Every structure is written in C-alpha cells, then in structure tokens.
Amino acid sequence: MTIANTRFPIDLGAYQPLKLDPANATLTSEQREILKANIQLCRDAIVFFTATGAARGVGGHTGGPYDTVPEVTILDAFFREASDKFVPIFFDEAGHRVATQYLMAVLHSKLPAEQLLRYREADSKLPGHPELGLTPGVKFSSGRLGHMWPYVNGVAMANPGKIVFCLGSDGSQQEGNDAEAARLAVAQHLNVKLIIDDNDVTIAGHPSKYLPGFSVAKTLTGHGLKVLEGDGEDLDDLYSRLCEAVNTPGAIALINKRPMCPGIEGLEGSNHGHDVISVELAIKYLGSRGQTAAVEYLNSIQKPKQTYTFLGSSNKLGANRNVFGEAVVEILNRMSEAERQQTVRVIDSDLEGSCGLKKIHDAHPEIFIPSGIMERGNFSAAAGFGMEKGKQGIFATFSAFLEMCISEITMARLNYSNVLCHFSHAGIDDMADNTCHFGLNNMFADNGLDDGYETRLYFPADANQMKACVEAVFFDPGLRFIFSTRSKVPNILDSKGNDFFGSGYQFVPGKDEVIREGTQGYIISFGDALYRSLDAVERLRQEGLDVGLINKPTLNVVDEEMMAKIGNAPFALVVESFNRRTGLGSRFGSWLLERGFTPKYAYLGTYREGCGGLWEQFPHQGIDPASIMSKVKELVK
C-alpha cells in the first residue's frame, strides 16, 4: 500500500471552516454543533495518523494534540473571521503536539492529507517536532518543551495591536523559562494569551503526586496574569473564556482542566496517553467510531526493519540507556541502606523511563527523587547534594537538554561538586523527533579551565562497556558525564569474533582502545558511530585497504600514547554523530598539531538538519558505513 494510490481514509473534507466573532461570547446551536463535529473529526484523524507512527515503529505523541483540539478549532474559527486581529499561528510550547500543526496545515490546504500517512517517517518532512521551512503549512519551529512562550512575547512586541496565542501545558509550565516569560508579559502589558492544557500528566506520572503544592493557576496568578480556569471539555465554557481573553487587554492564561485523552478507552487519565497510542487501542477507538477504512489501513502497515548486516559486531543488542541504571543498581546493592541514604541522591526530570533511572527508582526508592521538567534546577540540586567529599548526586535527562544546563555545570565545577550525569539520546540515532532533539553539543559540558575541578566525558560503545564504565567511574570525584543513545547498539567483537568488552575487560578512564590495527591509517570513533565505523573497516579490508579503528570512550582527555600512534599513521579520520562544529573532530586535529603530528586529517559528524525516521538519520548525515568508506578512500589516494 503506497501513498501514491492510497487516499487518507478519514474524510477531512467534512471539516466545516467555521467563522466565529469573539465579540459574541455565546455560541448558537448551529455553531456549537459544527464545532462538535469538527472536534470529533480532528480527534479521529489525530488518533489514526499518529497510530501509523506506532505501527511503523517511529513513535509519536497522541494525547497532547488530541486533548487540545477543542481550543484549536475555536482559534481556527477566530482566525478565519478576523485574521487581522490576530497573529494567526498556533504557537505551541509542547512541540511533541506536532500532529496539531500537520492537521491544520492539511485543513488549510497547505499539505495533502495523504502526506499524514507518513507521519514521522524518514524524508517525509513530518518530524516529531515542527520545523519552520521544512513542512508546508508549518509556521514556526517549536524547539524543546517550554521554549515558546518567551519567544511569543517577542512576536507580540513585533505585532502591536494584535493578539498572539500560545498553547501550553502543565508540563511546559514547569520549565523556568516560562516563569521569566510570565513576568515580562505582565510587565510589558503584552497581548499574549496562554491556553494551557492542565491534565495532570507528564511522561513519568502525575505532577500532583511528584510535585505536590505546584499549581499552574496559582503560579501564574502570582506572576500577575489574569487566570481563567475551567473545564476544557465544556465547549460553551471554553468558548466564553476564550472570548473573554480576546476582549481583555494584556497577558491572560486560560487553564483547561481535563483528563488526558478524554474518551479514549484504555488511555483516559493515564500518563501512557502522553506518548503515541498503541495500534491495538487505536483500532478499538476507530472501530467504535465507525472508521473502518482507517482500521483497515492500520492493519495493513508493516513495520520497516533495518536489513543491513554490520560486520565486526554481534546480533546481540543492548539498550545502554537502561544498562546505565542497571549498573548503578548493582553498585548501590553493595552499600548498606544507611550508606546509600547518606551518600547518594538520584534526581529525575520526568524521564526516568527513558534514561535508565527507573531501574534505580524501583530498586532503591529511598534515594530517588521524582521531579518535574526542571532540568537546570534539578541538576543544581544534584550538584548541591554532591558538594561534600564522599557524597554525590546522580542526574539524568536527554542529551539535547545539556545545552540548558551549561551555567549550572559551571557553578557545580566552581563548588567542587561530585555529580554522576547520564545524558541519554546522544547523537542522532533513532531520533524521529528530529533536529531540536538531537544530542549534538555534548562537548559543551567540558567548559572548565585547565586547572579547574575535573570534568570527564564518557561515551561507551556497547552494553558491556557501559557497565564497565559505570563501575570504574562511579566513586570518582568531580563531574562525570556518561552518554548513551536512544537506539540499542550491538556488542563490539574482536578480530576472533568474541565480545571485545567481555569477560575480564576493565574500563580505564582516559585510555583509548585499539579495536583493529591498521597500517594505512586510523578511524577514531566512539558510541553508536563505533560499530558503523567497524563495519566500514571490515569492508575496506575486504577491498584490500588495511585501515585500523580506535575507540575513544573518554572524549575530553588526550591519551598521549595513542595520539602518537595515530599521529604517525598516514591518515586520521574522526567519525561521530555529534555536531561537526563542536564535537570531537573539531578538537582532535588541534591536538595532533600541538604535538607536531601531521597525518592527513578529516572528520565526519552531524552537519545538517534531520530527515526524521530512525536509522535513516546516519546516511542522511553522511556518517553511515558507505560514507565512511568513501571518505577513507579519498584519504588514502
């Protein structure tokens, strides 16, 4: 079944382009019925096309865009009636609610409905967060959670006399950015209207439980905003509050209370609704709605598989992001409960299931602090706990969010803190969320001075090395950053086919490792780029090129012995999934020159915006085995 001959199985032509004048705060019976029909149609469509992401294994998010359909359809009616009164953009702080943007692009004839059938696929131009200039009809790039309200303040300044809306959530309101944005919006009398979906759900659970005392309404009232709170599923109440917001000058927040995924059996009120709906639940929902063609389409989808066979690594895969937590648990198990409580504190930022911290939470809840989407504050809290000798904080989140913590990292270093950090989702592999979620600038963590408190960056290559790395550095003083990928990675094999980092292996911080010897030059790599580089090396050898491979698991320490070995080789090629401008390759050439070594030198890394999809990101960036081989052949000429 292909898009070329497949129609979108839900008739989006049934959407009625309603016009509503916010000067009239009461809906007529006809307007109410049209809105109800539009809401149901859009919700059915969102459940369906986000479920295609689940069926294809590229993931996605259903609950957020599904929840906010009522307010979005009313805004759409406002924009159609009086576009000159508004900045007609559905700005949204929760970028994972991208399905809203794609659906509205279709309803405004900027995107064919059939394109939605390729939601989050590689090269479909429908990534997991909206990107301006990539997708027709998308009018802004959302970036990461909680980053849009400050930006929208500036949009309001640039459009005096117009109203600007920003869709928010109780999750995005946990970010410190929004507190700053609220104060500026009030102080400058900006005509910004926040529409906040307050469903008491984030990825890891319910804010009312892990942040007791936090109230979106009270917080925003304290900042000086007028707050209009009500039931987001009560259409008449929602409409009247939106009209009041439009007709009242200044910054106003509409807080819409509702359960997550109202009306979806098996998801309503559950934090599992935050992510993509399962195919099973989507089929059940759509079947109950009479959407037979949509059910048939979902049943027809076959999940694509990576069919390439990588040489030099096994078919045994490990999820390093989970292995981190397992390795920490093994160490904690060897301590007494009193010792654990005295010396270790683990602070989550709503991503425990994605970063391996859930393993620790389950095994040792007495030292685990479930917390909100407050990366900067949570990192600093972990650092403060680890200020005393013999104590350490443990902190984890996505690598993309490391950039948000740079100042806090500096302060932790100046205070001689001991923090073990796990930043998962490093690089680009399996990253359908695309560019804003790439973990590219991880070397920024090494931002201290030469005589500063020690900072070490580690990127283990497979599950065996991850476990060995955690064991080796757990009790070290200083700041330790361990990176892992979203994707599973295969075990690295030695030349005899045995696990390279298997029985008897010990991780030595600061030491590089020869994975394969070579006389014609060396590739230097790490993390998920290592097994791809190893495949390239093995295939080059089959073609008669004797190329070696070096693993550099400690990213920011020069191994002088290995540097001499590489420096005296005919060429050196760094291969990584980090940003080509800020990654290892941007430093390694200087390290060689400082020591008087002048081999032919090149480096490959991420250099362009993403293409969506999963493993497809690597060939898109030119760091897949074929691209590596091509670069080596240029260097050996």
Side-chain angles (χ1 to χ4, degrees), residues 315-334:
N315 56 11
K316 182 179 180 181
L317 301 174
N320 270 6
R321 56 187 172 126
N322 291 325
V323 173
F324 171 86
E326 294 167 0
V328 170
V329 167
E330 287 190 25
I331 296 169
L332 294 174
N333 287 345
R334 299 196 289 266

Side-chain angles (χ1 to χ4, degrees), residues 562-583:
M562 196 66 73
M563 190 61 71
K565 183 183 186 73
I566 296 168
N568 287 309
F571 78 82
L573 171 64
V574 173
V575 178
E576 60 185 317
S577 59
F578 286 2
N579 188 343
R580 191 174 185 276
R581 292 185 175 220
T582 64

Side-chain angles (χ1 to χ4, degrees), residues 349-400:
S349 293
D350 192 51
L351 291 173
E352 62 178 86
S354 297
C355 301
L357 294 190
K358 191 176 189 305
K359 305 283 185 181
I360 308 172
H361 191 178
D362 291 345
H364 299 293
E366 71 278 5
I367 63 168
F368 188 90
I369 298 177
S371 187
I373 308 164
M374 308 178 295
E375 296 85 358
R376 286 156 285 208
N378 289 338
F379 175 88
S380 287
F385 183 87
M387 185 177 183
E388 295 180 29
K389 184 178 181 181
K391 292 188 177 184
Q392 70 167 306
I394 298 179
F395 172 84
T397 189
F398 290 167
S399 290

